[in-house]
Amino acid sequence: MDGAWIPVVDVHTHTGEWDQMPPGFQERMAERVPSGFKWMMAPVTDWILESDNILSQMNGAGIYGAGVFALYSPNTTGNAPNLFVAERIAEAPDRLYGFASIRVDNWNNDAAEELAAFEEALQLPGMVGVKLAHAHQQFRFDDERFYPIYEIAGRLGKPMYLHTGTSPNPGTRYEPEYSDPAYLEEAIQRYPNAIFILGHTGYDSKEKALTYTDSAVRLAQKYPNVYMEPGALGAGRAEAVIDDFVVRMKEGNVLNKVIYGSDGVQFPGYLKSHLENYLAAMQRNDYTADEIAMVLSGNFARVFGIGIPETPAAITMNDSAGEQ
């Protein structure tokens, strides 16, 4: 833009395997293909979620780096264990950044064990942050039993990505205590050294509405340790609200708090289409080149302390992974 190259980091991508997904989520995934091709869902899904495909989509979109999320949500979207993610990001350590997660589905019995495993996972090579999805993992934002997670993340200096808003996935909790980031405020105050990245910025994906976005903006305006991420706002189902969203970010004077992410890699070409749609919305609404650069990589580099190359040649891989 304006003759300058703007590097891009997508903080929000997923990996995993078909066999680690519960039946309800497998059924939802299979709704996207004709019935005669449903038998291909397992191998195709595994291929889409491989590191090589993530890198290929990044290269095709001109994206330099990407966060890759671990997750433990056995009743909704499935599991992508920490060690599994560590192996995936090791295939391209300069461009793939790991986000560790934690199991909470048997918390009253094994909290101490899970917290210890979580702390170990955060110290694996390439693990730069934390991924939590309260609505998918079915624990409230304001449940104090889980506050030790925030303490560990803050103490180790690992920014936390937290899914906010709703999701159309089966098994998701839709009550405000699981969706509205306002319920995180006590934890945000209690752990000022912990960085909270409000994933989806309160976007109500189920209803295709910005139901909780104002809550997210208010927290980002008020607290220095709160940031936001626009994952899925560049997807086709958000077409009616994306302009409203980017205007709220600009008018709220919080562009220094927005870290770009897509919620990929849902299908071939998703990373590119999401980025193009989000970039077009910013351009339509008079973002400057500096503001766009801040959103697409500058804020990520500052918050995570990761240097991002400033030349397009850096997108080219030196090994076979993701090569085009």
Side-chain angles (χ1 to χ4, degrees):
M1 289 191 65
D2 298 338
W5 168 258
I6 296 177
V8 182
V9 174
D10 185 336
V11 76
H12 184 175
T13 73
H14 289 280
T15 186
E17 292 181 313
W18 179 260
D19 290 343
Q20 290 291 319
M21 301 174 185
F25 187 65
Q26 289 179 342
E27 291 175 12
R28 180 171 182 265
M29 296 279 286
E31 291 173 357
R32 303 176 182 179
V33 301
S35 57
F37 294 90
K38 294 186 186 300
W39 65 272
M40 299 176 59
M41 285 304 301
V44 170
T45 299
D46 288 350
W47 167 73
I48 287 174
L49 296 174
E50 287 180 352
S51 297
D52 278 358
N53 182 58
I54 296 173
L55 287 161
S56 179
Q57 286 209 35
M58 290 163 60
N59 291 344
I63 294 171
Y64 174 75
V68 182
F69 289 171
L71 186 61
Y72 296 94
S73 56
N75 298 312
T76 51
T77 56
N79 297 331
N82 292 324
L83 288 175
F84 177 85
V85 169
E87 292 172 356
R88 291 286 170 102
I89 62 174
E91 297 177 27
D94 292 337
R95 299 182 66 195
L96 300 179
Y97 319 118
F99 284 66
S101 194
I102 183 169
R103 288 202 74 137
V104 300
D105 46 304
N106 193 28
W107 195 253
N108 288 338
N109 295 320
D110 57 15
E113 179 182 346
E114 294 296 345
L115 287 167
F118 172 64
E119 187 158 353
E120 288 183 10
L122 284 174
Q123 298 174 74
L124 290 170
M127 287 295 184
V128 304
V130 174
K131 157 67 175 182
L132 299 173
H134 292 71
H136 293 160
Q137 295 177 277
Q138 303 176 341
F139 69 108
R140 292 172 52 127
F141 286 135
D142 58 354
D143 190 332
E144 293 189 29
R145 292 178 301 156
F146 301 94
Y147 281 14
I149 298 172
Y150 311 145
E151 186 279 328
I152 291 172
R155 173 163 46 84
L156 296 182
K158 305 291 184 178
M160 294 181 291
Y161 178 102
L162 302 89
H163 178 108
T164 67
T166 68
S167 165
N169 294 315
T172 301
R173 298 295 296 263
Y174 296 115
E175 302 93 324
E177 296 86 353
Y178 301 82
S179 306
D180 186 347
Y183 284 87
L184 280 166
E185 188 160 11
E186 180 185 9
I188 291 166
Q189 293 173 337
R190 189 178 297 188
Y191 301 100
N193 293 328
I195 292 176
F196 295 76
I197 302 171
L198 308 179
H200 304 286
T201 316
Y203 172 52
D204 188 345
S205 183
K206 184 174 183 292
E207 301 299 331
K208 303 178 185 179
L210 302 180
T211 305
Y212 303 115
T213 295
D214 287 346
S215 287
V217 171
R218 180 185 67 81
L219 293 172
Q221 290 170 331
K222 186 175 181 180
Y223 299 101
N225 59 329
V226 175
Y227 292 80
M228 298 172 291
E229 179 265 358
L233 269 300
R237 62 185 288 114
E239 182 180 8
V241 300
I242 186 171
D243 284 278
D244 184 11
F245 178 84
V246 298
V247 168
R248 292 192 198 192
M249 298 300 105
K250 188 174 175 72
E251 292 184 347
N253 196 30
V254 289
L255 293 182
N256 65 321
K257 293 297 197 75
V258 180
I259 297 173
Y260 177 75
S262 71
D263 195 9
V265 291
Q266 300 182 22
F267 52 80
Y270 178 87
L271 296 190
K272 183 177 181 179
S273 65
H274 188 283
L275 176 59
E276 289 178 344
N277 291 340
Y278 197 81
L279 175 59
M282 290 191 288
Q283 291 175 313
R284 282 194 302 270
N285 290 282
D286 302 321
Y287 278 51
T288 67
D290 286 343
E291 289 171 337
I292 290 173
M294 188 163 46
V295 170
L296 293 184
S297 59
N299 293 333
F300 173 89
R302 173 169 52 86
V303 170
F304 287 89
I306 295 174
I308 306 300
E310 297 182 357
T311 64
I315 298 298
T316 304
M317 293 292 290
N318 294 323
D319 55 27
S320 61
E323 212 170 76
Q324 297 206 14

